[in-house]
Amino acid sequence: KDLRPVVVVSAMGKTTDKLLEMARQAAAGARQQALELLLELEQFHLREGGSVNGRIEQLFGELGELIRGLAILGELTPRSIDAVSSYGERLSSLIVAEAFRQAGLDAECVDARQLIITDERHTEAVPLFDETYRRIQSQVAPLVQAGKIVVMGGFIASSRRGVTTTLGRGGSDFTAAIVGAALGAEEVQIWTDVDGLMTTDPSLVPRARRIKIISFEEAAELAYFGA
């Protein structure tokens, strides 16, 4: 905490995949299956994070209304996909901030959709950097200077009209880079489930090895393909 970090979190586990599957099922007419998946996901988040003053239940109430609406419309648009998939990071940021507070840290959850402003290309929105930097500098920097640990969701954003957008899969790392650039951070650390860059996916190939030296160009090429 002496480094005055800002913490950007992804959704927990396979939450984003489950949210998208839920939305697809609802739009395809499988309303009951979608609602069963919704309940399963809610119970998972409640086990991991408690009620967080009822906020988890509130968010799942909103999500339930959205899923029922998709079932009625029978259509899944890019805008709807962004609305549904945003809940993973909104939930995880609440849970992580509360975990920090319970550990004695002065944490504050900030809604990234109020900070990261994008165009309206849903599911692959492009940040409007001038507006985004202004918001981060005016809203996040004072909290950091006051000694608070700011926790926010990655991946999620909003258009100038306030409509939820997303930066595309893997967007949480992008959010962290945007925040780091806006604040003039000394470094951006990416914490993931593997210790460095690997020769392949260790969950598929147990003998995968860590790459000790790699050029920037090679790393950029891997990143470009989503590795």
Side-chain angles (χ1 to χ4, degrees):
K1 66 180 181 180
D2 294 337
L3 296 176
R4 298 190 299 172
V6 174
V7 179
V8 177
V9 298
S10 296
M12 298 170 64
K14 298 293 184 182
T15 294
T16 303
D17 290 336
K18 291 179 180 178
L19 288 167
L20 293 173
E21 177 60 24
M22 188 190 310
R24 283 191 289 266
Q25 288 182 350
R31 178 178 180 274
Q32 190 56 41
Q33 292 94 316
L35 291 175
E36 287 172 2
L37 192 53
L38 175 77
L39 179 60
E40 177 187 314
L41 203 56
E42 181 177 12
Q43 290 172 342
F44 166 72
H45 281 83
L46 286 171
R47 282 196 305 271
E48 294 295 327
S51 67
V52 192
N53 299 321
R55 287 286 290 135
I56 292 178
E57 293 94 333
Q58 181 184 340
L59 285 174
F60 272 98
E62 293 175 11
L63 180 57
E65 291 179 12
L66 187 53
I67 293 300
R68 291 181 183 91
L70 290 175
I72 292 170
L73 290 172
E75 182 183 11
L76 188 58
T77 65
R79 178 169 171 166
S80 299
I81 290 171
D82 277 352
V84 172
S85 60
S86 72
Y87 280 87
E89 279 73 14
R90 292 164 67 185
L91 287 157
S92 63
S93 56
L94 281 174
I95 290 171
V96 170
E98 180 61 22
F100 283 176
R101 285 190 288 268
Q102 290 181 8
L105 299 170
D106 188 8
E108 182 157 337
C109 183
V110 175
D111 189 342
R113 297 174 303 161
Q114 304 301 316
L115 303 171
I116 312 297
I117 307 303
T118 71
D119 62 18
E120 299 190 19
R121 280 184 277 185
H122 288 283
T123 73
E124 50 181 23
V126 175
L128 305 175
F129 287 102
D130 289 345
E131 177 68 16
T132 294
Y133 283 7
R134 277 196 297 272
R135 292 193 182 209
I136 293 170
Q137 289 159 3
S138 66
Q139 298 179 45
V140 176
L143 295 173
V144 173
Q145 289 162 5
K148 291 184 178 292
I149 296 177
V150 174
V151 180
M152 57 189 282
F155 173 63
I156 59 175
S158 69
S159 69
R160 280 201 172 109
R161 295 189 298 135
V163 177
T164 297
T165 58
T166 64
L167 303 178
R169 297 304 290 267
S172 291
D173 294 355
F174 190 16
T175 301
I178 293 168
V179 174
L183 296 176
E186 292 181 6
E187 63 180 10
V188 176
Q189 296 183 3
I190 306 297
W191 288 28
T192 183
D193 56 348
V194 293
D195 185 19
L197 290 172
M198 309 292 288
T199 53
T200 188
D201 185 345
S203 67
L204 299 176
V205 184
R207 295 177 61 191
R209 293 183 295 163
R210 186 164 61 89
I211 300 169
K212 295 181 180 179
I213 298 174
I214 191 170
S215 72
F216 180 85
E217 289 78 10
E218 289 170 320
E221 188 171 345
L222 284 173
Y224 179 81
F225 288 105

